[in-house]
Amino acid sequence: MSDLLSLSSITPRSWQGYAALVLLAGALLLWPLVNATPGYGIGTAALIFFLLLLAIEADNFPPAIGLVLLFLGAHGAAWLLLAGITGNEGTARASFYLLLAAAWFLAWRCVTVLSALRPASRWAATALRLIIPAIFGAWILIIWEAVTRGAGIPFILLPPPSAIGVRIANSLPVLAADVRQTIFKAVIFGYIVGSGAGFIAAIAADRVPFLRRGLLPIGNMVSALPIIGVAPIMVMWFGFDWQSKAAVVIIMTFFPMLVNTVAGLAASGHMERDLMRTYASSYWQTLFKLRLPAAAPFIFNALKINSTLALIGAIVAEFFGTPVVGMGFRISTEVGRMNIDMVWAEIAVAALAGSVFYGVVALVERAVTFWHPSVRGG
């Protein structure tokens, strides 16, 4: 195998390329990739080495061509490695992991090159902001898949992402019903009511000083209450349906909004407030024209925090009593049945929903607070 490719003529231009080259040499010395027979064919192995060497040499090509070669080489080699280990679980040898590490270093180099780009058009900059985290996320799944299959980790302990994906595809009606019950009923209602009530309470606390001095300490105390203690009480008060889960979400989202909004209302400078007073502005005019715009980053910070707290609160609350539907109910039930792939499917759907929720709030923040230095890049 060592005669297939000559490593002496390869000249990387980055430390990731040198690291990948060393790993390739180690993989040749520790050949074969797996203990299984036939394992990887000579043609597949040669193609893996060729793709990795091509990616190592990508910096010696023109930038656009080199970037394409770097991306295709790293990810093509990773795909071939995963395709070869499927069906040969638990047989991977050290050379398999060395080649996987080499591909990872080259993917790292690819992300480094992408991060250094400064596209002129807006759509290209947006695409770049999406591609870089997508590569990071893809490599988490690649390493997860390779380690679980290569080391033969028992399915009940940690199923590979491909098995989780198959379970998601085969359980779409069940997952859709759980999302509808947990997110579209409990989470959204509780998020809107809790955040809205926290915002109104913050305005009242700012307007009435004794409320600010009395409400904030109580808010800090209540925000420290454990959810596993509050959830059963809410179930007893409001029943087993989504209303009790929404109540938990309201409690969890109320005080982050209260504390952040109160802090944001105090963020405007004294000079700006003095200027408003010289114009004989009333409290409400100052509030809407100066203090709320200055507090907008704090308010959106609370909304982003609440977007994740709401989902966590609703799912945990479903552990303590719910109809036979819901994400938390499904997780607790399927763990008892040892259907770990279904548990991970629910976790993946929850993570995706939480990310989308957070992303929507972040996009609204950018549109509303476009003037703020954190958005303008100043």
Side-chain angles (χ1 to χ4, degrees), residues 254-340:
F254 177 84
F255 292 102
M257 176 59 74
L258 170 65
V259 172
N260 277 274
T261 304
V262 169
L265 291 173
S268 57
H270 292 289
M271 293 182 62
E272 292 86 351
R273 296 185 201 177
D274 291 340
L275 178 62
M276 295 297 290
R277 279 194 289 269
T278 61
Y279 291 143
S281 299
S282 65
Y283 170 83
W284 297 107
Q285 289 175 323
T286 304
L287 177 69
F288 286 107
K289 294 183 179 181
L290 171 64
R291 302 181 68 200
L292 278 180
F298 293 82
I299 295 171
F300 277 103
N301 187 52
L303 289 174
K304 289 188 289 187
I305 293 172
N306 286 344
S307 67
T308 55
L309 285 179
L311 187 60
I312 294 171
I315 291 176
V316 173
E318 288 181 347
F319 279 66
F320 298 93
T322 185
V324 289
V325 66
M327 305 180 80
F329 164 79
R330 197 73 55 196
I331 290 173
S332 61
T333 302
E334 299 301 333
V335 164
R337 295 175 179 174
M338 297 299 179
N339 293 330
I340 305 301

Side-chain angles (χ1 to χ4, degrees), residues 32-99:
L33 296 177
V34 295
N35 293 322
T37 303
Y40 290 83
I42 188 66
T44 302
L47 183 56
I48 292 173
F49 274 85
F50 173 76
L51 289 172
L52 292 175
L53 290 172
L54 190 64
I56 291 172
E57 281 289 282
D59 286 335
N60 295 317
F61 287 85
I65 298 176
L67 185 58
V68 172
L69 294 177
L70 193 59
F71 180 86
L72 294 179
H75 295 84
W79 184 82
L80 290 173
L81 286 169
L82 293 180
I85 200 63
T86 302
N88 297 316
E89 285 80 1
T91 63
R93 297 184 57 174
S95 55
F96 172 85
Y97 296 107
L98 291 177
L99 290 180

